[in-house]
């Protein structure tokens, strides 16, 4: 496995954007996923300055996060969401980000019928086309209507646009105990990004617990109880022919009390461990 | 391809009805104007308030935009002589605009001057614009925004009568994105028999607009754009002769116009024989 396919998210790193990028780069990462709020930080000089910071870092932004609760809205809610999507796309264009992560809606205001969901994703697809942006639809464990990859793939298939694909996050799969047996059925060129993390605990019966652990207690693969499950997931994806990026989507409050360089180094060790373990497993199975 | 396109029965959700104009951005309107004149275009009008000229031949309208500090000027500074906008004729621009907005087309506010028509504009390929015009034929947009000029004596009609094809260039992996865009928004459909390994031909539901999506690597770090206009002639021999007299040759299977215009790497003209002649 090629380590350069692994990206890291800004969320687990402490400090200013520039420091985060330096820490990532120093730890050997050349790709990252970025949040809209990373760019809007006024204390860092506002958008123009943060865009320069990203551009000058030489790192590639492979994912932009996150457009939430978009599909299924109507009236002024939808109008507001479209404006927000446009704002994000303009930012993406400035930092050279190609993929907008759109997470499945959790909103009680959203309708769940497939036709509407597909129509709204097509709207994003059309908006994104002139800017060269792709749309990645991500099921969430606590999504209101779409909470596994089967349902998300059904949506993407129905949307039927080249620039709309899937984003999968290992946390959301494991949190619901969703079997990975059907992963290979997804055409791998329609899987635009795979986000990875480990977790400090496995049993997540309550939605609130799930959300809490997801937002505050994730860890890097190899550090928690999902380590071998992450390896299993990567082996399945690689065997199915996935050639896209992996991104560490790790939110952890404790990481924010630590130096960005040491956290980024932990992430790099995780990449190293994953590459070795997955390559070994692939070899063992004759690939 | 058959003479009559079997497209009259296809739904035409935007009410497309052909190409109204192609707009060129340039920092050297004299040089570009000379080339157009050599190709038989007459400069027939100028914009009321801007450094914008209208060139015409047959049913073809070319707009040459050299307005300082404008969108077109920035475009030309990046790309040289280039196509910065195309205008599609639609039956009802208001309805088409509402539909385009609803489906996710990116509306661009071009700022309308006093006494000028508002023409709805949407984001097109490579930062170019896509205008929707429902005022064409007897009452045109030029009646309002342009002042007629004395007939230009420098140009001799070269028999060109309409725009038969527009070429859009982009990296190969982007062709599908753009095909989806034109299909979804305008109801274009691929003519599979006219597609090749590295290009796809799309036809509008009205049958009057052909768009070739061409895989290409462009120069100067530009990744995509509208890069070619093919003009149909009713008399190929006449056109060839007229162009030759002006020092312009035709080359290759696509009859590309060979010219000496500098900074025009992203702009190509070609001639085709009118179907049905």
């Amino acid at each position: 496995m090629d380590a350069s396919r692994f990206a890291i998210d800004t969320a687990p790193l402490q400090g200013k954007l520039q420091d985060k990028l330096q820490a990532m780069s120093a730890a050997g990462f050349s790709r990252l996923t970025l949040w809209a709020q990373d760019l809007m930080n006024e204390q860092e000089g506002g958008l123009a300055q943060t865009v320069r910071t990203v551009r000058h870092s030489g790192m590639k932004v492979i994912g932009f996060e996150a457009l939430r609760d978009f599909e299924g809205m109507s009236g002024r809610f939808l109008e507001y969401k479209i404006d927000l999507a446009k704002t994000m796309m303009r930012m993406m264009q400035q930092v050279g980000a190609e993929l907008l992560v759109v997470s499945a809606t959790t909103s009680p205001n959203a309708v769940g019928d497939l036709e509407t969901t597909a129509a709204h994703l097509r709207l994003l697809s059309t908006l994104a086309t002139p800017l060269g942006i792709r749309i990645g639809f991500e099921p969430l464990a606590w999504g209101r209507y779409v909470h596994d990859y089967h349902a998300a793939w059904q949506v993407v298939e129905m949307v039927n646009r080249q620039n709309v694909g899937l984003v999968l996050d290992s946390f959301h799969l494991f949190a619901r105990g969703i079997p990975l047996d059907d992963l290979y059925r997804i055409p791998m060129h329609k899987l635009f990004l795979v986000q990875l993390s480990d977790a400090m605990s496995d049993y997540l019966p309550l939605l609130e617990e799930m959300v809490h652990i997801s937002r505050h207690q994730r860890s890097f693969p190899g550090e928690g109880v999902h380590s071998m499950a992450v390896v299993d997931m990567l082996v399945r994806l690689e065997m199915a022919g996935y050639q896209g990026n992996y991104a560490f989507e790790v939110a952890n409050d404790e990481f924010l009390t630590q130096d960005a360089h040491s956290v980024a180094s932990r992430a790099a060790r995780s990449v190293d461990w994953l590459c070795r373990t997955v390559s070994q497993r692939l070899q063992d199975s004759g690939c | 391809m058959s003479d009559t396109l079997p497209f009259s029965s296809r739904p035409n959700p935007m009410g497309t009805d052909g190409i109204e104009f192609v707009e060129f951005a340039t920092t050297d309107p004299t040089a570009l104007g000379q080339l157009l004149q050599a190709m038989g275009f007459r400069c027939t009008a100028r914009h009321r308030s801007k450094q914008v000229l209208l060139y015409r031949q047959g049913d073809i309208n070319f707009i040459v935009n050299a307005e300082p500090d404008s969108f077109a000027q920035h475009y030309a500074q990046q790309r040289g002589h280039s196509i910065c906008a195309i205008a599609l004729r639609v039956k009802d621009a208001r309805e088409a605009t509402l539909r385009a907005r609803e489906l996710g087309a990116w509306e661009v506010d071009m700022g309308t001057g006093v006494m000028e028509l508002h023409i709805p504009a949407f984001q097109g390929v490579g930062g170019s614009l896509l205008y929707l015009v429902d005022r064409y034929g007897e009452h045109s947009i030029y009646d309002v925004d342009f002042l007629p000029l004395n007939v230009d004596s420098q140009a001799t009609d070269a028999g060109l009568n309409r725009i038969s094809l527009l070429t859009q260039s982009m990296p190969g992996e982007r062709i599908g994105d753009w095909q989806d865009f034109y299909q979804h928004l305008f109801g274009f459909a691929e003519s599979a028999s006219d597609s090749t390994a590295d290009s796809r031909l799309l036809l509008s539901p009205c049958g009057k607009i052909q768009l070739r999506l061409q895989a290409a690597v462009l120069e100067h770090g530009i990744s995509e754009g509208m890069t070619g206009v093919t003009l149909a002639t009713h008399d190929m021999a006449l056109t060839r002769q007229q162009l030759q007299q002006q020092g312009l040759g035709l080359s290759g299977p696509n009859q590309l116009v060979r010219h000496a215009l500098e900074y025009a790497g992203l702009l190509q003209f070609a001639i085709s024989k009118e179907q049905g002649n």
Side-chain angles (χ1 to χ4, degrees):
Chain A
M1 278 197 86
D2 179 4
S4 71
R5 285 167 67 196
F6 286 82
I8 181 170
D9 190 82
T10 53
L13 302 182
Q14 209 275 119
K16 289 181 148 192
L17 183 59
Q18 190 169 0
D19 301 330
K20 294 183 183 197
L21 297 177
Q22 263 168 14
M24 292 171 177
S25 192
F29 288 94
S30 60
R31 301 174 189 186
L32 80 154
T33 52
L34 193 67
W35 294 77
Q37 50 265 42
D38 287 325
L39 297 178
M40 290 312 291
N41 194 333
E42 281 305 320
Q43 284 162 9
E44 299 195 27
L47 186 60
Q49 183 54 46
T50 51
V51 165
R52 268 199 296 277
T53 302
V54 175
R55 288 279 188 186
H56 284 169
S57 76
M59 294 190 67
K60 192 165 166 48
V61 183
I62 55 125
F64 197 83
E65 315 228 39
L67 186 60
R68 291 177 168 144
D69 300 333
F70 181 83
E71 79 281 9
M73 290 296 197
S74 58
R76 59 197 164 88
F77 289 110
L78 181 62
E79 275 173 38
Y80 164 73
K81 285 292 178 182
I82 292 171
D83 280 346
L84 184 66
K86 286 180 171 179
T87 305
M88 284 186 166
M89 288 185 193
R90 283 196 199 96
M91 292 160 93
M92 291 174 70
Q93 201 180 24
Q94 292 186 59
V95 293
E98 283 168 10
L99 176 67
L100 177 62
V101 178
V102 179
S103 56
T105 192
T106 60
S107 169
N109 294 327
V111 296
D113 76 282
L114 269 175
E115 288 287 350
T116 308
T117 302
H120 288 169
L121 287 172
R122 281 191 208 111
L123 190 160
L124 284 180
S125 158
T126 302
L127 271 181
T129 297
L131 306 187
I133 288 168
R134 300 195 297 164
I135 305 295
F137 185 55
E138 179 191 22
L140 297 185
W142 49 87
R144 194 163 181 86
Y145 305 107
V146 175
H147 31 67
D148 60 32
Y149 64 87
H150 299 90
W153 170 242
Q154 197 188 351
V155 169
V156 168
E157 218 175 3
M158 192 158 168
V159 170
N160 191 26
R161 303 287 292 264
Q162 182 178 277
N163 67 350
V164 178
L166 268 189
V167 171
L168 293 182
D169 186 316
S170 64
F171 183 91
H172 290 275
L173 268 63
F174 302 150
R176 274 190 173 258
I178 296 166
L180 303 182
D181 302 334
D182 291 333
L183 266 187
Y184 77 96
R185 291 177 187 273
I186 299 168
M188 285 295 131
H189 71 280
K190 294 302 281 182
L191 182 52
F192 287 177
L193 180 64
V194 176
Q195 298 176 328
L196 302 174
S197 61
D198 214 326
M200 293 305 185
S201 69
D202 198 17
Y203 189 57
L204 304 165
L206 293 173
L207 190 68
E208 292 75 13
E209 277 186 325
M210 229 188 254
V211 176
H212 182 80
I213 292 180
S214 171
R215 297 201 173 143
H216 306 281
Q217 291 178 20
R218 294 198 195 192
S219 59
F220 295 113
E223 297 182 338
V225 295
H226 290 159
S227 300
M228 291 326 285
V230 172
V231 168
D232 178 51
M233 181 174 169
L234 260 61
V235 168
R236 286 171 187 269
L237 290 170
E238 291 295 305
M239 286 178 74
Y242 179 64
Q243 294 179 346
N245 292 310
Y246 295 101
F248 285 161
E249 177 80 2
V250 176
N252 186 314
D253 295 343
E254 285 173 7
F255 287 3
L256 299 178
T257 65
Q258 298 169 41
D259 173 56
H261 281 274
S262 69
V263 176
S265 301
R266 273 172 70 177
R269 280 197 296 279
S270 174
V271 171
D272 193 45
W273 175 77
L274 268 177
C275 284
R276 270 188 289 112
T277 317
V278 171
S279 296
Q280 188 59 52
R281 281 275 303 273
L282 287 170
Q283 250 176 30
D284 292 348
S285 52
C287 292
Chain B
M1 205 168 65
S2 62
D3 296 341
T4 43
L5 303 167
F7 284 90
S8 49
S9 57
R10 256 180 40 207
N12 187 353
M14 292 286 269
T16 63
D17 194 25
I19 297 166
E20 174 56 21
F21 66 78
V22 170
E23 180 173 343
F24 301 95
T26 179
T27 54
D28 188 350
T30 310
L32 180 58
Q34 278 168 356
L35 173 61
L36 295 180
Q37 284 170 332
M39 288 166 61
F41 286 84
R42 286 192 176 81
C43 184
T44 63
R46 68 174 170 83
H47 196 274
R48 285 179 180 277
S49 59
K50 296 173 185 165
Q51 288 188 33
V52 174
L53 295 170
L54 171 65
Y55 288 80
R56 293 184 120 158
Q57 183 174 190
D59 189 34
I60 309 162
N61 299 308
F62 281 169
I63 288 177
V64 173
N65 189 336
E67 173 72 1
D69 207 26
S70 66
F71 154 75
Q73 210 49 202
H74 296 301
Y75 209 77
Q77 280 157 8
Q78 286 172 358
R79 296 178 179 236
H81 303 285
S82 49
I83 299 168
C84 65
I86 58 171
L88 301 185
R89 292 176 180 168
V90 294
K91 293 274 183 338
D92 183 332
R94 199 179 148 272
E95 271 191 25
T97 298
L98 289 176
R99 177 187 145 84
R101 257 186 223 150
E102 197 176 296
L103 290 179
W106 198 297
E107 201 166 4
V108 182
D109 182 9
M110 291 307 290
T112 310
V114 181
M115 300 289 286
E116 288 175 5
L117 280 177
H118 170 74
I119 303 177
F122 292 91
Q123 193 69 72
V125 63
S128 70
L129 298 176
L130 203 53
Y131 286 109
L132 301 177
V133 175
D134 61 4
R135 196 186 155 103
Y136 54 89
E138 206 175 323
H139 300 285
S140 74
I141 49 174
Y142 319 108
D143 301 337
V144 180
D145 288 348
F146 286 72
L147 295 168
L149 295 173
N150 291 333
V151 172
D152 181 349
S153 58
Q154 292 185 35
T156 313
D157 194 287
L160 304 175
N161 51 2
R162 67 181 185 94
I163 295 171
S164 62
L165 175 81
L166 294 169
T167 302
Q168 174 179 321
S169 301
M170 72 215 87
E173 69 270 16
R174 284 277 286 157
I175 288 180
D177 292 0
W178 280 108
Q179 182 176 349
D180 286 343
F181 181 88
Y182 292 112
Q183 269 177 4
H184 186 57
L185 217 48
F186 292 97
F188 277 62
E190 183 183 4
S191 171
S193 58
D194 295 296
S195 293
T196 66
D198 60 358
S199 81
R200 286 183 210 165
L201 187 75
L202 305 186
L203 296 170
S204 64
C206 62
K208 297 177 181 174
I209 311 166
Q210 294 194 71
L211 177 63
R212 187 169 289 284
L213 303 179
Q214 178 77 46
V217 178
L218 305 177
E219 43 189 36
H220 307 309
I222 304 283
S223 84
E224 51 193 32
M226 204 55 83
T227 53
V229 188
T230 302
L231 305 165
T233 172
H234 52 77
D235 186 341
M236 191 53 123
L238 169 83
T239 300
R240 189 184 302 270
Q241 190 191 357
Q242 292 287 1
L243 262 56
Q244 242 161 21
Q245 276 178 11
Q246 300 291 331
L248 299 173
L250 296 178
S251 65
N254 294 329
Q255 306 286 338
L256 292 179
V257 178
R258 269 184 287 130
H259 58 75
L261 186 63
E262 287 186 312
Y263 310 112
L266 297 172
L267 176 60
Q268 242 166 10
F269 294 100
I271 309 294
S272 72
K273 193 173 174 305
E274 186 62 273
Q275 305 283 326
N277 275 17

